[in-house]
Amino acid sequence: MASGVLGQAVITSGTSGASLVVYTVPAGKLAVCNVNIASISASTQTIDLAIPNETDGSFDSLDLLEDDTSLAEADVLERTNIVLEAGRSVVVTSSDGTGVAVNVYGVEEDV
């Protein structure tokens, strides 16, 4: 059973496709995770946080936990106790060239 940091990434406006995926729950697993998104930019930016059943970075509006959320300089957004089934991903987008640091931490369990 994996626990602790499950995924980390720096996401910028230049990040695209599968690189937007910070973490994907492995087959046969269930994950309970927390997502921490910290601004590393000197300006306010807009971010999205989604949990699609995809691994290519794409998502639909139903997958969104945060949609066009403003994140000011040095701000942190944290979502906790997110339960994800196998195949679900944590995807983050940023409107800024410097972007955000994203950490996904929690536990994986066999199902």
Side-chain angles (χ1 to χ4, degrees):
M1 174 170 73
S3 64
V5 177
L6 301 174
Q8 295 179 302
V10 172
I11 304 293
T12 69
S13 59
T15 308
S16 63
S19 296
L20 296 169
V21 177
V22 181
Y23 168 70
T24 300
V25 182
K29 303 282 185 182
L30 168 87
V32 179
C33 59
N34 303 315
V35 179
N36 180 289
I37 304 171
S39 175
I40 54 176
S41 175
S43 60
T44 298
Q45 58 188 300
T46 302
I47 60 123
D48 293 324
L49 169 61
I51 52 168
N53 197 14
E54 316 282 343
T55 58
D56 63 359
S58 64
F59 55 88
D60 299 319
S61 59
L62 288 174
D63 300 321
L64 287 163
L65 298 180
E66 298 287 341
D67 183 23
D68 289 338
T69 300
S70 291
L71 198 61
E73 174 185 2
D75 263 1
V76 175
L77 172 75
E78 187 164 60
R79 286 301 210 90
T80 60
N81 295 317
I82 303 168
V83 180
L84 303 172
E85 73 271 16
R88 285 271 173 195
S89 296
V90 173
V91 173
V92 176
T93 66
S94 169
S95 65
D96 188 81
T98 305
V100 292
V102 183
N103 287 279
V104 177
Y105 50 97
V107 295
E108 292 175 346
E109 298 179 8
D110 293 328
V111 290

